Structures are given as C-alpha cells and as structure tokens.
Amino acid sequence: MPLRKLSRREIQSRPLRSLLTLLSIVIGVSAIVATSLASSSARLAQIAMVSAVTGNASLEIESVGGASFDGKPLEAVLDIPGVAVASPVMKRLSQMTIVVDELIAADSDGVDSKPTDSNTVRTPATTHKRPLQVRVQLMGIVPKLDKQVRNYKVVAGVDLAEVTAEEKKDVPSILVDERFAKSIHLEVGSRVRFLTRDLMKDARVVGLTASSDASSGMQSGIMVAELRTVQRWFKSNGKIDSLQLVLKEDAKLPEVKKSVEALLPDGVKVRVPQLRSQLAQETTIAMEQGLRLAIAFALVIAGLVIYNTFQMNIGERRRQLGILRSLGATRKQLLWMIVREGLWLGTVGTMLGCIVGHFGAAILRSTTGRLLQIDVPQAGWSIWPYLVAAICGLVISFLGAFFPAVRAARMSPAEAMRVVATGEFGTSRSGWLAAGGILISTGLALQFLAIAGFIDVSNVVPGAVSMMLGVVFLLPGVVSDLTYCVTFLLRPILKTEGKLARRQLLRHRGRTSLTIGIVFIALGLGLGMASTILDNVRNVEGWHQRAIVGDFFVRAAMPDMNSGQAAEMPDGLLEQVRNMEGVNLVDSLDFVQSRIGETSVVVVVRNFSAESQDYFDLAEGKEAEVLQSVRKGYVVLGSVLAQRLKLHAGDSIALDTSEGTSELRIAGVANEYIAGGLTLYLESSHAKRLLGAEGADVIVVYAKPELKSKVEKDLIQMCDEYGLIFQSHSDLIGIIRSKLNGAVGVLWGVLAMGSVIAAFGLINTLAMNILEQTREIGMLRVVAMTRSQVRKMILAQAVIMGLIGIVPGVFAGVWIAFIINLTTMPVTGHDVKFQIYPWLLVGALAFEMLVILIAAMIPAERAARLNLSGALQYE
C-alpha cells in the first residue's frame, strides 16, 4: 500500500496544524542549540583572556596581590636548568583614540603630543563627528622573547623587532590583531593615541597579526608595544606584571618551579597559568539557570502540542484508518505510518530549529558580550549542540506521535468507522488522579530537597517540570467537575450555549485536558519568568540607588569585569578635579585584582570620604557601624563572594597582598553587581599599603548645588581634552535603566510567546470540535439557532478551557517565581526579595484571555458559516 504517499498528503492537507507542530519543535530545538553555542562562546572568551597572554608558558611569575613588581632581581631565573625562555610582560587597559596623521604633534622621542581640538576625525573607511574611542589592553613585551611564548604571525606590515631605530624616534610602534583592526578601520600606518598616566601618547600601527592557534587572536582588543614604551607611558620603569616561563622539553615542571621559588622575593609567587574565569562565570549563572528552566518547559509544551495534534489528527482520520484496516493494512503498518508522520515533522522542525538556534546564538553571544564587557568569539564548530538538540527534537516528536499511534492501531475496523470516538483514554478517573498526585508529590519533594540543600539546587528544574506535568495528568480526572463549576458560575452570561459547549468538551476529555494543560503551562512559565525578572530588576534598582551616588563620574573606560583592570587615568587628575571651582567633594574608585585562596576577587578601593553617604546596599551590618569599621581597615564583601566562601559579618578572610597573606575582618556583606559580585571593598589608605593600589579608575564628583552647571561644563572640557568619559548621575542611571528595560522587554516576549503557543493549541482543539459537531450544528441551525448563538457556543468552549487553564496557571506562575527566588541566593549569591505583583497577575490573566478569545473567533466564524445542506449530510 502507498502509505508513505498517504502520510505526505495528510501533512500537506493540514498546513496550519503542521505549522503548529513544526513551531513547537523549532522552539525547543533552537533553545537548546542557542544556549549551548552561546555558553561555549562565553567559555572560549574566558579561556582566551588568559591564553592570549600566557601562550606557551608553562609557568608564570607574578606578585601576590596582582600589582607590578621589579623585574631586575628575576634575571637569574634564566640560569635555572630547564628554563628556555623568560619573557616579561606588562598589561594595562587604556582608552585608544584614532587620530588623523596631520593632527599629531609628536616630540622627537615620540612620547608626548598635544590633544587635537578638531571635532572631526577621518579613518580609511568612515568619517566621525568625534574621534572614535575604544577600550583596549596594551601589552608591553620584549619582541624577540615574546615570539617564543605567544603563537602569532604578522600578516601585514612588519614585526616590532624589525622596526628600525630611526623609525622608533618618530613615534612608538604597535601591533594590532587584524580582526580588531578591521572592525575599527585601522591599517598599517594608522596613528592612534592612548590615554596613560603621562597624559596622551601617540603610536603608529606597524603590523597586523593573526594567531596561529587561536589563543591570541580571540582577545582581539590587545595592542602590543615594546615593554620599555609601555613602562614609560605608565611611569613604571623597571616594573613588570608577570614573567612568562617556557621550559625546555626535558625539564621537569615541579623541579623547575621549586628552583624558581627559591629566587623569588617576598610578595612574588610562581604558578601554573590558571584560567581565571570565575568572575565572568558568575554573571552567567542566573541566566543559564533561567534558560534551563525555559528549555525544559519548551520541550514539555512541544511534546504536549505534538501529542494533542496527533490525537486530533487521528480523530479526523478515523474512517480512513478503518478503511485501511478493512483493506488489509496491519496494525504495525498503521502504527508506523502515523509515527513516520511525526518523525517527518520532527526532522523538518529539528533542522529549522538548529538553523534558528545557530543565529539565535549570535544574539545571545552579543548580549553576553555586552553583559561581560568582553569580545565573545564565535565558538568553533562542534556537532554536539546540534546532535543533542536533534535527539531531543526527534525523541519528543516520536513520543508525541507514538502513543496516539498505538491507540489508533488498536482500533477495530468497526470502531474506526465511527466519526466520533466513544472515548480517548482507558485509564479510570482514579488512575489519572493517582498519576497526577504522584507526579506533583515527586516534584514538590525534589524542589523542597533542593531548596533545603539536601540535593543539588539544579534539581529544582526537574521538580518544577514534574509538578506542572502532574497538574496536567490530574485534568482528565477532574475536567468534568471543573467545567461544571465554570459553566455554573458563568451561567448568566453563557446560558444554554454554555451547556452545549460543556457537553462537546466532555466528549473528548483527553483533548480538552491537553489543551487546558498547554494553556496552564504556557501561562505558568511565562508568568513565573516575568515575576522573577521584575524581582531582579527591582533588586538592581535598589542597589544602584544606594551604591552609585554622586553628581558626576569621570573614567577612562569601563572596567574589565573579568580581571578587575581598568584604563588608568593621568597622574594629578584627581587633584585637578578637587581644585575646580564649585567642587564640594571628590571620591575615587580603583579596581585591583587579588585572590582569596583559589578564588579570584576584585578589590574595590574607595576613599569613603563622605560622612553622610550610604555607600552600600547592605545585606548584613548597619551602615554607620560598617563605614566606621571600613575606615579602620575592615572589608565589606560582595554578597556573591560571601555566599561562595560561606562567610558573614564578623568573620575573617585571608587576602593575598604584597605583604603576603593578610587576615582582614569582615565589617559587612553588601548586595553587589560589580564583577559578578566577587568583590570586596577596602579603604584607599589600607589598599595602598596592602596592594600597592594607586591612582583612580573612576573619579566621583559632588558639586555645590549652586555651581553644579559650572562644574559640569569644566569636567566636560577636561574630559574632551584628555579623551576621558564624562557621565552625569542621570547619564549613568540612564545606562543602567536601558539595560533593565531590555530585561523587561524579554519579560513581555516570554509572556507573548507563551500566549501564542496556547492560542495555537486552542485553535486546533476548537477546529476539531467544530468538525465533529458539523452535523449537530447543522441540526441546531435548522431548529432556529442563530449564527450569533453558534459563535457564542464556540466562544464558550474557549472561555471554559481558558479559565480552567489560566486561573491555576496564575497560581503556578507565582509558585515558579517563588521557587526561583528561593534558589537565587544559593545559585547567584544575590538575596532577591520575593514580591507578588497584582497588576502583573491581573494583566497576564486578562491578556491571555483576550488572546484566547481572538484565537477562538476564527473557528467560531467558521462554525457560524457552515453550509446547512452540507452539514446535515456530514457523517
């Protein structure tokens, strides 16, 4: 028999239903692919941040607190047996400005220049009203040594080692990664200006590089210059940040490491290069947890939609299946025919989902890059994300089609010839109640154990899924009672049409229950995610209202959220700002990287000079007492760091400093979002002694109210002169709010997607009900039922199913938001207060009901316009 052709024809004859099935598969598959690829890209970026600098190095020497140190005493390291190369490195973040050649006024040494007063700068490919400014990482190296450590090649121009002495006198030379150069329209010969501690310094691009092993190329913002040039620019003559050691092939690393340790002065250590990616990982934990929950429910909804689709498909084809059985088709052939249709749709949906997920990963990668403030590279090709997504898509498609197919194959020819089935499920009411109760109990138990800490917190996701599925399994056992209650309550509105609608819904309890279940899960998930986003938005707003205080902010560039480094500003700038007319108070922030044991942390150094200001959004401690203790040398821990280390106010931490490991008391714990919350605050005088922290990465200015406009004008003029970033308090809050508005946009997107999926499921069910009611509707029309009454009867079916799914869906959404909130502290370290938003609950209920009514209008109108003669002849 040509069953294959018959299957293809059936799929083509119902394009809307096939589209719904494909859409549900595409959503689940694309979510898996996009999340996997974006996560892989973020991990690659974290690895590249270190490997771009360490390259082939087997060991690296650096100071305990991460500060620069004198490299002269370490020259003897080369005499240690087993050491082949010792390459010194200095790294500094800087703000780079692209300038026009004729506007550069460099002195004979090429180390000083006057800022241009031109407002227009032309690059090879574009014209800018203001100079193009980007944040870069300057890396000072010894060219001949660095070539033996980092794997790269010069693809245009020349290497630093090939630059002549005459050319060096003109202006210092730099190498730029070719991808980064292309993105900002730099080429060999272009001139750039860097912001340094010695004002603005000019340089010339002499070569473009490409990595040989993808290690240096991924961190495309690196600009390479000679070590002495970078040391001079940042007033650190003789100082280096690290010494990279490449060992000989026959060298034994433990023995070499021990020999090196014997030569090191106090405050300097040697270790195997480690990928310090903790800070970046912290910012993605909450996002990944939320995505896992969304993916789980997307797959559940996809399975339910496919199952419901094939249930209705089989209902429409009962006579066809009966005829095929009568003509000799075996049960196995019918089973395989229906399953094959599901697999065909699953295959197409999986392929489309992989394509959508691939491009969706680019969006997630871009979003992650902006969040982490890094250049997130595209992940290398790997079949695993696509393979896992394909397996999930095909399994869901198979299971969704298999169970309806089994039931269809078991029908006798006589039973199949009936237009309307006598029933859908063989399981009794008590069986559905028992199955639903077991799933709900299992889900609640998993959630309780995960929240209480007895099992891993990630088990909250399967627990939530189990609970929601349990509710769906309960529905066939209670749908009669629920429809009666809704019909009774709406009796004044629905009247007789409501009773007719209920009778049709109960003819197919399984179909009705699954449709209600889809509405329930879609609304519950969307509402739960939306409430969680609002809770976190409110938490961030509370943080910035207390932690980001000041009239104006001056910075060279945004700090690197992964290393804690920030572009340094010229010496004397703090004093210059302090002496401006109208300035009432000047504070500063400096970001220094250090470690607590094996945990990388960012030390936020502040003056804490204002007496009346609230500096912290405290989770533990009182503001006045904490501030008094901080000025004595105590520290305030970010909540994420405190949670990771299981520390509280009154405990002590062992911080790596230039004096070795120093024990510092904890004055308090603050809600913190800088550097993913792995931060601690330290007063500037103590930070200078312990960590050698000098200068300022951010200058916070408080102006006298009557002279605020003058201070703003003077600061803007100073920033234009030095190429600095000026931000008013409203500017900074605007940036934060724009990011929060993006999160709220995601909130509405989640709700809208859930509503659309629920609407498609509802249309499917109503269309099938109308098909089976065709003859009955014709009879009712003959006995004087008007078209408006037919529309009302169909709309009543939608209202009954909608209310049964929406009302518990609202409560489920609150519960999901609550359990996500309970896991926020263990997972992210942020203590986010749970709150119920009545406006969101009412708005979601009304919006979902509106979507359902609009979706029901299409089948309702179709029913109202049935041809009477055709309807009466329908069997």
Side-chain angles (χ1 to χ4, degrees), residues 740-863:
L740 297 181
N741 289 338
V744 175
V746 174
L747 176 157
W748 298 119
V750 170
L751 279 176
M753 182 177 292
S755 299
V756 168
I757 293 173
F760 270 113
L762 193 77
I763 289 174
N764 243 350
T765 296
L766 293 179
M768 188 61 194
N769 286 352
I770 291 170
L771 182 66
E772 294 181 347
Q773 282 183 281
T774 299
R775 186 180 178 86
E776 181 180 335
I777 292 173
M779 292 292 294
L780 292 172
R781 291 277 288 115
V782 168
V783 296
M785 177 177 264
T786 65
R787 287 183 173 179
S788 61
Q789 288 176 314
V790 173
R791 294 190 188 97
K792 186 176 180 181
M793 180 179 67
I794 303 302
L795 289 175
Q797 293 181 27
V799 169
I800 293 170
M801 288 190 292
L803 287 177
I804 295 175
I806 289 173
V807 174
V810 169
F811 290 102
V814 173
W815 174 257
I816 289 175
F818 177 66
I819 63 170
I820 291 177
N821 180 274
L822 289 180
T823 61
T824 298
M825 188 63 183
V827 172
T828 68
H830 292 293
D831 187 14
V832 179
K833 182 181 178 182
F834 172 72
Q835 182 173 327
I836 295 177
Y837 302 91
W839 64 268
L840 178 63
L841 304 183
V842 175
L845 192 152
F847 177 74
E848 188 79 13
M849 202 67 231
L850 178 64
V851 170
I852 287 173
L853 288 174
I854 292 174
M857 287 180 182
I858 300 174
E861 188 64 26
R862 177 186 172 189

Side-chain angles (χ1 to χ4, degrees), residues 476-731:
V478 298
V479 69
S480 177
D481 301 322
L482 292 175
T483 54
Y484 174 80
C485 292
V486 173
T487 306
F488 179 79
L489 292 174
L490 297 181
R491 183 173 51 183
I493 301 173
L494 300 181
K495 300 180 180 178
T496 304
E497 291 87 344
K499 293 181 179 180
L500 293 173
R502 176 174 179 261
R503 187 181 65 177
Q504 176 61 22
L505 292 177
L506 292 181
R507 283 179 178 175
H508 290 276
R509 297 172 186 242
R511 182 194 307 158
T512 301
S513 299
L514 281 175
T515 304
I516 294 171
I518 291 171
V519 174
F520 166 74
I521 292 179
L523 182 63
L525 173 62
L527 196 56
M529 297 291 287
S531 297
T532 300
I533 292 173
L534 285 178
D535 284 342
N536 282 275
V537 165
R538 182 169 43 82
N539 192 58
V540 174
E541 286 181 337
W543 165 74
H544 76 64
Q545 288 172 2
R546 296 175 66 86
I548 304 179
V549 180
D551 294 325
F552 307 109
F553 302 86
V554 176
R555 69 177 82 233
M558 294 297 289
D560 188 330
M561 301 302 284
N562 300 284
S563 66
Q565 292 178 312
E568 297 190 32
M569 291 189 285
D571 286 349
L573 199 63
L574 197 63
E575 196 62 31
Q576 182 179 339
V577 174
R578 190 175 282 118
N579 292 332
M580 285 183 177
E581 182 182 358
V583 172
N584 186 38
L585 183 67
V586 175
D587 199 356
S588 66
L589 286 85
D590 189 18
F591 301 95
V592 181
Q593 188 177 20
S594 186
R595 300 181 70 85
I596 300 175
E598 294 300 317
T599 303
S600 297
V601 299
V602 170
V603 181
V604 183
V605 180
R606 294 198 69 164
N607 291 330
F608 299 105
S609 50
E611 293 293 336
S612 59
Q613 177 182 324
D614 290 343
Y615 283 96
F616 309 108
D617 182 16
L618 289 174
E620 295 182 23
K622 296 181 179 178
E623 189 74 33
E625 297 175 2
V626 168
L627 193 56
Q628 185 178 6
S629 299
V630 166
R631 289 173 178 148
K632 295 179 181 179
Y634 287 42
V635 298
V636 173
L637 262 59
S639 56
V640 177
L641 180 61
Q643 196 275 335
R644 294 291 179 272
L645 299 179
K646 308 299 181 185
L647 295 173
H648 301 276
D651 296 335
S652 297
I653 60 167
L655 183 70
D656 286 356
T657 69
S658 54
E659 298 179 354
T661 302
S662 299
E663 291 286 333
L664 301 175
R665 292 290 299 278
I666 301 172
V669 175
N671 187 35
E672 188 57 73
Y673 285 89
I674 295 175
L678 290 180
T679 56
L680 63 88
Y681 282 81
L682 188 60
E683 197 272 333
S684 57
S685 62
H686 298 284
K688 184 175 182 180
R689 172 177 58 84
L690 296 172
L691 300 171
E694 296 182 353
D697 296 330
V698 182
I699 297 176
V700 185
V701 181
Y702 301 82
K704 296 177 181 178
E706 65 275 13
L707 296 175
K708 192 172 181 179
S709 59
K710 175 175 172 47
V711 172
E712 180 176 6
K713 182 179 179 180
D714 292 343
L715 287 173
I716 292 175
Q717 183 178 354
M718 182 195 74
C719 290
D720 287 342
E721 180 181 355
Y722 294 129
L724 301 170
I725 298 174
F726 169 83
Q727 292 174 322
S728 66
H729 184 265
S730 59
D731 292 337

Side-chain angles (χ1 to χ4, degrees), residues 305-622:
V305 168
I306 295 170
Y307 181 86
N308 203 21
T309 299
F310 276 92
Q311 276 283 90
M312 290 184 286
N313 187 291
I314 290 169
E316 287 181 318
R317 298 164 61 186
R318 297 177 64 84
R319 288 176 64 88
Q320 178 195 89
L321 297 176
I323 293 172
L324 289 174
R325 288 282 286 122
S326 299
L327 293 175
T330 65
R331 291 182 175 180
K332 184 178 180 181
Q333 287 176 317
L334 291 184
L335 174 67
W336 174 238
M337 181 184 74
I338 297 170
V339 169
R340 181 171 53 227
E341 293 172 16
L343 290 176
W344 280 353
L345 291 173
T347 301
V348 175
T350 296
M351 290 190 295
L352 292 175
C354 288
I355 294 172
V356 172
H358 179 80
F359 289 101
I363 299 174
L364 279 178
R365 188 171 66 247
S366 175
T367 303
T368 303
R370 289 194 299 270
L371 179 66
L372 302 181
Q373 298 182 14
I374 58 177
D375 179 22
V376 179
Q378 183 174 351
W381 165 254
S382 173
I383 195 174
W384 289 110
Y386 303 94
L387 184 60
V388 170
I391 291 173
C392 289
L394 291 175
V395 168
I396 290 294
S397 302
F398 173 78
L399 294 177
F402 178 76
F403 292 106
V406 169
R407 184 174 176 275
R410 289 177 178 175
M411 288 189 298
S412 65
E415 181 186 0
M417 294 296 288
R418 296 173 185 165
V419 175
V420 180
T422 56
E424 292 175 290
F425 299 114
T427 307
S428 64
R429 171 188 173 98
S430 59
W432 289 113
L433 293 176
I438 291 173
L439 283 172
I440 292 175
S441 301
T442 302
L444 289 174
L446 282 174
Q447 293 171 63
F448 172 78
L449 293 174
I451 293 169
F454 294 107
I455 58 177
D456 190 84
V457 72
S458 61
N459 287 290
V460 165
V461 173
V465 172
S466 176
M467 184 191 74
M468 299 284 276
L469 280 177
V471 174
V472 176
F473 270 74
L474 279 179
L475 286 173
V478 298
V479 69
S480 177
D481 301 322
L482 292 175
T483 54
Y484 174 80
C485 292
V486 173
T487 306
F488 179 79
L489 292 174
L490 297 181
R491 183 173 51 183
I493 301 173
L494 300 181
K495 300 180 180 178
T496 304
E497 291 87 344
K499 293 181 179 180
L500 293 173
R502 176 174 179 261
R503 187 181 65 177
Q504 176 61 22
L505 292 177
L506 292 181
R507 283 179 178 175
H508 290 276
R509 297 172 186 242
R511 182 194 307 158
T512 301
S513 299
L514 281 175
T515 304
I516 294 171
I518 291 171
V519 174
F520 166 74
I521 292 179
L523 182 63
L525 173 62
L527 196 56
M529 297 291 287
S531 297
T532 300
I533 292 173
L534 285 178
D535 284 342
N536 282 275
V537 165
R538 182 169 43 82
N539 192 58
V540 174
E541 286 181 337
W543 165 74
H544 76 64
Q545 288 172 2
R546 296 175 66 86
I548 304 179
V549 180
D551 294 325
F552 307 109
F553 302 86
V554 176
R555 69 177 82 233
M558 294 297 289
D560 188 330
M561 301 302 284
N562 300 284
S563 66
Q565 292 178 312
E568 297 190 32
M569 291 189 285
D571 286 349
L573 199 63
L574 197 63
E575 196 62 31
Q576 182 179 339
V577 174
R578 190 175 282 118
N579 292 332
M580 285 183 177
E581 182 182 358
V583 172
N584 186 38
L585 183 67
V586 175
D587 199 356
S588 66
L589 286 85
D590 189 18
F591 301 95
V592 181
Q593 188 177 20
S594 186
R595 300 181 70 85
I596 300 175
E598 294 300 317
T599 303
S600 297
V601 299
V602 170
V603 181
V604 183
V605 180
R606 294 198 69 164
N607 291 330
F608 299 105
S609 50
E611 293 293 336
S612 59
Q613 177 182 324
D614 290 343
Y615 283 96
F616 309 108
D617 182 16
L618 289 174
E620 295 182 23
K622 296 181 179 178

